[in-house]
Amino acid sequence: MVSKKLVVEQERKMPLVTDVQVLKDLATRIRILSIQSTTAANSGHPTTCSSIAEIMSVLFFNTMRYSVAAPKDVSSDRFVLSKGHAAPALYAAWVENGLIPEPELMKLRQLGCDLEGHPTPRLNFIDVGTGSLGQGLAIAAGLAYVSKNYDNIDARTYCLIGDGESAEGSIWESIAFISHYNLDNVVLIIDANRLGQSQPTTVAHHLEVYKARLDAFGWNSLIVDGHSVEDLVKAFDNASATKGKPTAIIAKTYKGRDFPDIEDREGWHGKALGKETDRVLKHLEGLIVNKGKLNFTIPSPVTRAPQVNISNIQLASPPNYTVGDSLATRQAYGAALVKIAQNNPRVIGLDGDMKNSTFSELLKKYDPARHIECFIAEQNLVGVAIGATCRDRTVAFVSTFAAFLTRAFDQIRMGAISQTNVNFVGSHCGVSIGEDGASQMALEDLAMFRSVPGSTVLYPADAVSTERAVELAANTPGVTYIRVNRPATKIIYANDFKFQIGKSNVILFSPKDQVLFIGGGITLQEGISAATILAQQGVGVRVLDLFTIKPIDREGIIKNARESGGRILVVEDHYPEGGIGEAVLSAVAEVRDVYVKKIAIPRVPRSGTPSQVLDYYGLTAKHIVNYLLDAIKN
């Protein structure tokens, strides 16, 4: 009698590392563990775990090349579970391969247990946090781009998404990106189980619709029975043998597979099985053929990734500007990006077709291989950067108009959950961009990035501080954001000035200062002009450049405010909510002898020349003079 293993080997002409029946039994055990853990938690998604059981079995015990002893091994194949609510199935696979003790899985979703409801990098086998649907494929693209183009290793990245999730536009941004760059080391698996949370998905089981769409994007697309380990093995082998284009495996599956009277039924999404648990478990246990220890082989990584060092990133040369000259901070950003790239081959820049406005094109001119054009698809842009940095292989700077980063805020907040070290640079902030009007004016960006946990928010005032901000950001853990201006601003710092995260800098002062002025970018420059005017009238105004909006220099603000009559005036090119003014107010909230007045953009602005718009909204020196005098009187 010819074994099933031999038959499949003959058809594939490639070795099957684990017996077919063992793979089937592993799939059943993944189902059992998913039910047991979600029942213990009395919450979770056992039915959606069941739909991917065979996919997980074949991937983790036959196809993927990785090391259980070293889950973060940079040479290994990677797996991204974009449909993060199926986390118990992923955890179960790591139980079966021996990394996680089975009793630990029974603490699923409990406070203090790292096996949370959706995966996060608190776990050593997770690269990124997932579960906000539509993001995993962009992250997989970033991982694969680095493996193929920078590490030059034979490693594949597998991304599993749900069919309901495929309705997210960000998925199709990523599908286009992956095809454009011929990332044939990406394998997308669509768990087409037909059912969404509240009703069937738009495509349901019409899998030819998915195939037609993917074919149109230039993918190698395959329709398979997602519960047939034989079909899955062949499909993954096909993917590994396909060169020049990525592969998508469209797997027809059923929610609650092998759950009697529950399979393919609505109303079970996100529910533990409750009183049905024992009945379903008894049925599943009866399906297992190999009752004892299962024998499987996990393939090892093929090629070794090079060692890299992304610490202590420095400018190749110091800033070289003349005080009083003018240059846009966005242009200084481009120059600084090249300088740090000259000192470290792992510095990369990503842009959304704005490189000639953000000046990231300077990096492309210096080294085209290290500039990744993501086109007008900001959600994918951010996701690719998170994927590119999540294994400490690159130092990534993402740049575009600051206003357009709001479109990708979900990706940015998930980046923080993923412990990402991506650096964001937003240009064309505030009304000072002028004629383009409100749709292009970032007036919410400081509030957005200040709200991200663990973020660092920098607002350099001139070209010198911008170059140093880029250098500091490259060495700062977590999400960083640098706000840069479109118009040119005067150089106010000496080239050898020392900048620190969380340390403000006094620009103008006298022993007789009566008010402390705080601004940022354009308004700081206008405040300097206003203070100079008032100095000629014998009125002392201290001017403070925060440099870092978060973490804010609380001690420096309070000290300088008290030395300036206890009065602070903040003028900013941002909406009142969440900007510099509110950051300063928070810093002095418990200080009784300091008064703060803030001026900001009060409503949706209009078009005009930069000078007209700044004057219209009261952000120019002549208006600031009056605000300062009023502050002194009050």
Side-chain angles (χ1 to χ4, degrees):
M1 180 177 177
V2 179
S3 70
K4 287 185 178 180
K5 178 177 179 180
L6 180 59
V7 170
V8 175
E9 284 179 350
Q10 290 173 341
E11 291 177 358
R12 298 165 67 229
K13 297 182 181 178
M14 294 181 70
L16 180 66
V17 297
T18 299
D19 185 80
V20 166
Q21 187 57 54
V22 171
L23 293 173
K24 291 180 178 179
D25 288 344
L26 283 164
T28 301
R29 287 171 65 151
I30 288 171
R31 289 190 173 95
I32 289 171
L33 288 170
S34 297
I35 292 172
Q36 290 173 333
S37 58
T38 53
T39 297
N42 195 30
S43 67
H45 298 76
T47 57
T48 200
C49 290
S50 180
S51 70
I52 64 171
E54 282 79 13
I55 295 169
M56 301 300 289
S57 172
V58 173
L59 272 176
F60 276 82
F61 301 98
N62 187 79
T63 300
M64 285 177 56
R65 303 160 297 180
Y66 67 103
S67 169
V68 176
K72 287 287 189 182
D73 175 24
V74 294
S75 302
S76 296
D77 291 343
R78 305 313 296 171
F79 176 73
V80 179
L81 181 66
S82 190
K83 50 175 288 179
H85 53 291
L90 175 59
Y91 303 156
W94 287 95
V95 168
E96 290 299 325
N97 68 20
L99 182 70
I100 302 175
E102 186 173 328
E104 191 68 16
L105 183 55
M106 298 308 124
K107 300 176 185 176
L108 176 75
R109 292 181 168 230
Q110 293 181 22
L111 184 62
C113 178
D114 289 340
L115 300 174
E116 298 186 81
H118 294 73
T120 75
R122 289 192 181 96
L123 298 161
N124 61 2
F125 55 89
I126 299 296
D127 292 314
V128 292
T130 56
S132 186
L133 298 179
Q135 299 189 23
L137 189 55
I139 292 164
L143 281 161
Y145 195 101
V146 170
S147 292
K148 182 174 183 178
N149 296 302
Y150 301 143
D151 288 340
N152 297 310
I153 57 173
D154 181 12
R156 291 188 286 276
T157 301
Y158 297 87
C159 180
L160 177 58
I161 72 170
D163 51 354
E165 178 182 10
S166 72
E168 291 279 7
S170 54
I171 290 289
W172 297 95
E173 289 182 5
S174 302
I175 285 171
F177 175 91
I178 292 166
S179 177
H180 176 77
Y181 287 107
N182 299 317
L183 297 180
D184 52 10
N185 55 342
V186 172
V187 182
L188 166 64
I189 308 110
I190 301 177
D191 172 34
N193 63 32
R194 189 182 75 84
L195 295 176
Q197 175 169 325
S198 61
Q199 66 180 57
T201 62
T202 55
V203 178
H205 274 156
H206 300 292
L207 305 190
E208 67 281 359
V209 175
Y210 291 117
K211 179 171 174 55
R213 293 172 180 175
L214 287 156
D215 287 347
F217 277 88
W219 283 59
N220 169 41
S221 61
L222 310 169
I223 295 175
V224 302
D225 178 350
H227 296 304
S228 166
V229 297
E230 295 94 336
D231 283 0
L232 288 166
V233 166
K234 293 177 186 177
F236 287 124
D237 285 346
N238 179 294
S240 67
T242 299
K243 304 302 179 184
K245 62 169 60 177
T247 295
I249 297 172
I250 307 157
K252 183 177 182 180
T253 62
Y254 294 91
K255 263 187 175 179
R257 178 67 170 186
D258 287 333
F259 295 3
D261 301 320
I262 294 175
E263 180 177 327
D264 199 33
R265 289 195 176 185
E266 295 185 43
W268 281 97
H269 182 91
K271 295 180 181 179
L273 297 191
K275 64 181 182 180
E276 302 295 331
T277 299
D278 291 342
R279 179 179 64 82
V280 175
L281 285 176
K282 182 178 180 181
H283 173 75
L284 289 172
E285 288 163 358
L287 298 179
I288 296 177
V289 174
N290 299 287
K291 301 294 185 182
K293 179 178 174 58
L294 298 179
N295 295 316
F296 51 78
T297 301
I298 296 171
S300 298
V302 177
T303 50
R304 303 305 305 174
Q307 291 187 345
V308 301
N309 183 359
I310 58 171
S311 63
N312 194 27
I313 306 294
Q314 296 182 349
L315 297 171
S317 58
N320 185 21
Y321 302 99
T322 301
V323 172
D325 286 354
S326 294
L327 187 79
T329 51
R330 61 188 171 118
Q331 188 170 351
Y333 156 67
L337 187 58
V338 171
K339 286 184 178 183
I340 62 172
Q342 289 170 336
N343 249 358
N344 192 298
R346 288 286 166 152
V347 172
I348 64 172
L350 302 92
D351 208 294
D353 193 26
M354 296 291 171
K355 57 185 175 290
N356 56 345
S357 290
T358 63
F359 283 88
S360 71
E361 68 176 0
L362 297 179
L363 177 62
K364 183 174 183 179
K365 291 176 181 177
Y366 168 71
D367 184 354
R370 286 196 275 160
H371 183 276
I372 305 175
E373 179 55 68
C374 295
F375 305 98
I376 304 172
E378 289 82 11
Q379 295 178 75
N380 180 70
L381 163 68
V382 173
V384 169
I386 292 170
T389 58
C390 68
R391 305 182 73 199
D392 298 327
R393 308 299 292 169
T394 65
V395 176
F397 280 79
V398 170
S399 54
T400 186
F401 282 18
F404 303 156
L405 286 170
T406 61
R407 181 177 305 222
F409 182 59
D410 192 21
Q411 278 76 5
I412 294 167
R413 77 170 187 90
M414 285 300 296
I417 293 170
S418 296
Q419 304 169 22
T420 189
N421 296 319
V422 174
N423 306 292
F424 296 94
V425 180
S427 73
H428 292 64
C429 56
V431 300
S432 61
I433 73 168
E435 292 91 344
D436 280 344
S439 69
Q440 315 295 294
M441 296 172 174
L443 293 161
E444 316 86 355
D445 55 317
L446 292 177
M448 180 173 79
F449 279 98
R450 283 183 62 223
S451 72
V452 174
S455 65
T456 299
V457 180
L458 299 155
Y459 196 176
D462 70 351
V464 174
S465 55
T466 299
E467 287 203 17
R468 292 304 183 187
V470 170
E471 183 180 53
L472 287 166
N475 295 283
T476 301
V479 169
T480 73
Y481 176 62
I482 303 174
R483 192 183 210 222
V484 293
N485 295 319
R486 179 186 185 187
T489 50
K490 288 184 178 180
I491 311 300
I492 60 175
Y493 285 106
N495 289 313
D496 60 354
F497 192 92
K498 304 298 182 184
F499 294 87
Q500 300 177 49
I501 298 289
K503 179 68 174 176
S504 61
N505 306 309
V506 177
I507 306 301
L508 294 176
F509 73 97
S510 76
K512 298 181 179 180
D513 289 337
Q514 300 177 67
V515 60
L516 174 65
F517 176 84
I518 297 175
I522 294 293
T523 62
L524 180 70
Q525 301 261 343
E526 293 293 328
I528 292 170
S529 298
T532 302
I533 292 170
L534 287 176
Q536 296 170 355
Q537 302 173 17
V539 179
V541 176
R542 187 165 300 191
V543 177
L544 187 70
D545 174 19
L546 290 177
F547 180 63
T548 313
I549 310 301
K550 180 187 176 184
I552 199 166
D553 184 5
R554 182 176 183 272
E555 292 183 3
I557 292 170
I558 294 171
K559 175 181 180 294
N560 284 284
R562 284 174 170 163
E563 293 175 358
S564 306
R567 307 177 187 92
I568 299 176
L569 172 68
V570 180
V571 180
E572 60 181 315
D573 195 0
H574 189 278
Y575 287 136
E577 296 80 11
I580 301 173
E582 290 199 349
V584 171
L585 280 166
S586 295
V588 303
E590 298 178 2
V591 181
R592 294 184 178 181
D593 58 343
V594 173
Y595 165 79
V596 179
K597 178 179 177 61
K598 61 188 180 78
I599 304 294
I601 304 300
R603 56 190 175 275
V604 175
R606 302 179 63 114
S607 293
T609 66
S611 59
Q612 287 175 332
V613 178
L614 286 168
D615 185 63
Y616 183 79
Y617 289 103
L619 303 186
T620 52
K622 71 177 184 181
H623 295 284
I624 293 173
V625 165
N626 293 328
Y627 302 148
L628 290 166
L629 291 173
D630 287 344
I632 292 170
K633 293 176 184 177
N634 294 328

